C-alpha cells in the first residue's frame, strides 16, 4: 500500500511540473489540458475512495503551491473528484 502511494505521489509530482512549467507557457493552446486530474481519476478508480481522496488532496496542494490560484481551491475540488471517482469501486 505504501508503495502504491509513493509511486502515485511521484507521478503526481511529474505531472504537476509538466502542467505548470510546460503546458502553461504554450500560447497557441486556448486552454491548458488537465492531465493531473486524469491521474487523480485513474488512481481513484484503480485503488478506491481513500486513495482517490489522498491523491486528490496531494495533487491539489502541489498545484496550489505552484500556481496562482487561491490557496485550497484545487485541494477541495480534486479531493471531491477523487472521492467521487473511487466511490463506484466500493
Amino acid at each position: 500500500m505504501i508503495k502504491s502511494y509513493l509511486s502515485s505521489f511521484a507521478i503526481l509530482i511529474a505531472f504537476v511540473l509538466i502542467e505548470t512549467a510546460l503546458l502553461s507557457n504554450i500560447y497557441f493552446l486556448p486552454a491548458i489540458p488537465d492531465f493531473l486530474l486524469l491521474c487523480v481519476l485513474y488512481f481513484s478508480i484503480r485503488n478506491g475512495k481513500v486513495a482517490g481522496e489522498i491523491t486528490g488532496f496531494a495533487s491539489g496542494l502541489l498545484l496550489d503551491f505552484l500556481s496562482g490560484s487561491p490557496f485550497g481551491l484545487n485541494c477541495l475540488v480534486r479531493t471531491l473528484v477523487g472521492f467521487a471517482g473511487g466511490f463506484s469501486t466500493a
Side-chain angles (χ1 to χ4, degrees), residues 1 5 7-8 12-14 20 22 27 33 35 37 39 41 46-47 49 54 57-58 61 63 65 74 80 82 90:
M1 192 64 145
Y5 286 135
S7 64
S8 65
L12 290 177
I13 286 176
T20 58
L22 296 176
Y27 293 111
F35 294 124
L37 189 62
C39 287
L41 280 173
R46 182 89 172 140
N47 299 324
K49 323 185 252 202
I54 291 171
F57 183 78
L61 191 64
L63 198 59
F65 279 132
N74 286 317
L80 292 175

Side-chain angles (χ1 to χ4, degrees), residues 2-58:
I2 299 292
K3 184 179 177 184
S4 173
Y5 286 135
L6 290 177
S7 64
S8 65
F9 190 68
I11 291 170
L12 290 177
I13 286 176
F15 274 107
V16 163
L17 291 176
I18 289 170
E19 192 170 313
T20 58
L22 296 176
L23 294 178
S24 64
N25 292 327
I26 299 174
Y27 293 111
F28 62 87
L29 292 175
I32 300 171
D34 199 358
F35 294 124
L36 195 59
L37 189 62
L38 293 175
C39 287
V40 169
L41 280 173
Y42 172 74
F43 291 132
S44 65
I45 290 171
R46 182 89 172 140
N47 299 324
K49 323 185 252 202
V50 175
E53 290 174 355
I54 291 171
T55 56
F57 183 78

